[in-house]
Amino acid sequence: MKFSLRQLEAFQAVARSGSVTRAAETLGISQPAASRLLSDFSKSVAVELFTRQDGVLIPTSEARYLLSEVGRVFDSLNHLEELNRDLTERTAGHLRIACLPGFATALLPKLLARFLEHRPGVRLTLEPDRPERILEWIIGEQYDCGITDGFAAHPAVENIDIPIRTVCVLPETDPLTEQDVITPRDLRDRKIIHTRRDSPFYRKLHKAFSEDGVELNSWIEVRQFSTACIIISQGQGASVVSALDAEQFRGQGIAIVPFAPELHHRLSILRPVSGSRSLLALDFLDAFVDSLKPFRADPPQPPQI
């Protein structure tokens, strides 16, 4: 069986219009040319395609079956065209990002608005969830990239780690806000809001307090730094959070003061080892990493994915 895409177009156009003449007009060709394409296709499939009723061409049951398959062919071709635009112009496609909840409401909305401004054909899925779920999605290749923390390692996932500076966050009325630097000893009488006890960052923070000879006065345990910032903006507690999260709450009732010793919060960008290598996703990751420059700690820049 041999036939051309043009024959498939003619067959589909005739089925939709009920007329060879109207199909020819739709395709921008002459009526004899449309008739020839339809005739050649009919010979290729060796079945009757149409019956005529009251001057209208009606698809036979065999033709209706073929039409559903022809529709799938053109859907696949349209998908290939979209992929081609994504590869060449990077202005179309589907960008799928999984992230921690704080990113979905703080840094990413503005960044994505700028990123999509000149990419009108790009569709976006932004899905916030906990780190464990983000890892599952990346392993299953359901998302192009994941933004998370506390990532250890997985053979199906490639990652880059970005160290983010941390700062002390206090209510703006706290006397400690007059200091240039705050240490664990300065916080010995403050109620501390901190990340979960099983998190790598909590272990770093607890060690810093122990080495300074003071007990960490645990008050509230949270999953996200942004939650700590919101509570403190209401005038209670103190916390050590990433400079990135703290910046989102500047001017909202909190004070941001450098913290010593210097602790880094490790942010991880994940991508599936296998699967598609979307240039659109790579462009986004470049923009995202660039947006983190004001908040990065001192270690050398990691290689780009």
Side-chain angles (χ1 to χ4, degrees):
M1 184 182 297
K2 294 182 179 180
F3 44 79
S4 67
L5 288 176
R6 201 57 170 163
Q7 290 172 2
L8 296 181
E9 288 178 330
F11 168 54
Q12 188 181 65
V14 171
R16 288 175 174 174
S17 65
S19 163
V20 175
T21 300
R22 286 193 291 272
E25 292 173 354
T26 300
L27 297 175
I29 58 178
S30 66
Q31 191 271 344
S35 295
R36 185 167 55 254
L37 288 170
L38 186 63
S39 175
D40 291 344
F41 178 67
S42 180
K43 292 175 182 176
S44 296
V45 296
V47 296
E48 185 179 4
L49 297 177
F50 297 97
T51 60
R52 187 177 293 276
Q53 295 181 15
D54 299 325
V56 178
L57 293 176
I58 306 298
T60 63
S61 57
E62 294 85 357
R64 288 195 296 271
Y65 179 82
L66 284 173
L67 280 169
S68 64
E69 297 302 317
V70 169
R72 292 190 182 93
V73 169
F74 285 115
D75 286 344
S76 296
L77 288 175
N78 290 335
H79 178 61
L80 286 174
E81 289 178 358
E82 180 178 302
L83 289 178
N84 183 57
R85 288 196 303 270
D86 184 17
L87 288 172
T88 56
E89 301 175 13
R90 306 182 196 181
T91 58
H94 189 184
L95 180 60
R96 302 163 302 169
I97 305 167
C99 67
L100 298 173
F103 283 100
T105 57
L107 179 68
L108 285 183
K110 292 181 180 178
L111 175 64
L112 286 168
R114 294 194 300 270
F115 183 79
L116 296 175
E117 183 179 1
H118 302 295
R119 296 172 172 85
V122 172
R123 292 179 294 119
L124 172 70
T125 298
L126 180 63
E127 188 69 37
D129 213 312
R130 65 190 189 280
E132 299 84 356
R133 188 61 172 152
I134 292 172
L135 179 59
E136 290 177 11
W137 285 334
I138 297 300
I139 292 172
E141 300 179 20
Q142 295 174 260
Y143 286 81
D144 298 305
C145 60
I147 302 170
T148 185
D149 60 10
F151 175 72
H154 193 282
V157 176
E158 64 182 17
N159 68 287
I160 57 173
D161 295 330
I162 300 177
I164 302 296
R165 292 183 294 105
T166 55
V167 294
C168 183
V169 177
L170 300 153
E172 59 185 2
T173 56
D174 193 305
L176 289 178
T177 60
E178 301 297 323
Q179 297 186 188
D180 294 329
V181 177
I182 292 178
T183 67
R185 186 171 294 275
D186 295 322
L187 296 173
R188 61 186 178 276
D189 297 325
R190 301 300 191 276
K191 297 183 296 184
I192 303 299
I193 306 171
H194 57 79
T195 55
R196 291 171 47 173
R197 294 175 185 272
D198 60 354
S199 69
F201 186 74
Y202 174 79
R203 291 192 287 270
K204 290 182 183 179
L205 185 64
H206 189 273
K207 180 180 179 183
F209 272 74
S210 297
E211 291 179 348
D212 208 16
V214 294
E215 183 179 353
L216 190 157
N217 183 16
S218 176
W219 180 39
I220 299 176
E221 182 176 330
V222 296
R223 182 181 286 272
Q224 298 294 324
F225 288 138
S226 57
T227 306
C229 292
I230 293 171
I231 296 172
I232 293 168
S233 72
Q234 302 305 304
Q236 299 188 65
S239 189
V240 178
V241 305
S242 83
L244 175 61
D245 286 88
E247 189 62 32
Q248 313 308 316
F249 294 89
R250 185 179 292 277
Q252 299 183 37
I254 69 171
I256 303 171
V257 184
F259 181 79
E262 189 174 285
L263 303 179
H264 298 160
H265 172 60
R266 183 167 61 89
L267 187 66
S268 296
I269 300 174
L270 312 183
R271 278 176 52 80
V273 168
S274 58
S276 64
R277 295 289 176 177
S278 168
L279 294 179
L280 181 64
L282 292 178
D283 282 350
F284 162 73
L285 289 179
D286 285 343
F288 176 68
V289 171
D290 188 63
S291 74
L292 298 177
K293 285 181 179 178
F295 312 104
R296 294 182 66 116
D298 292 336
Q301 299 271 349
Q304 300 266 338
I305 289 180

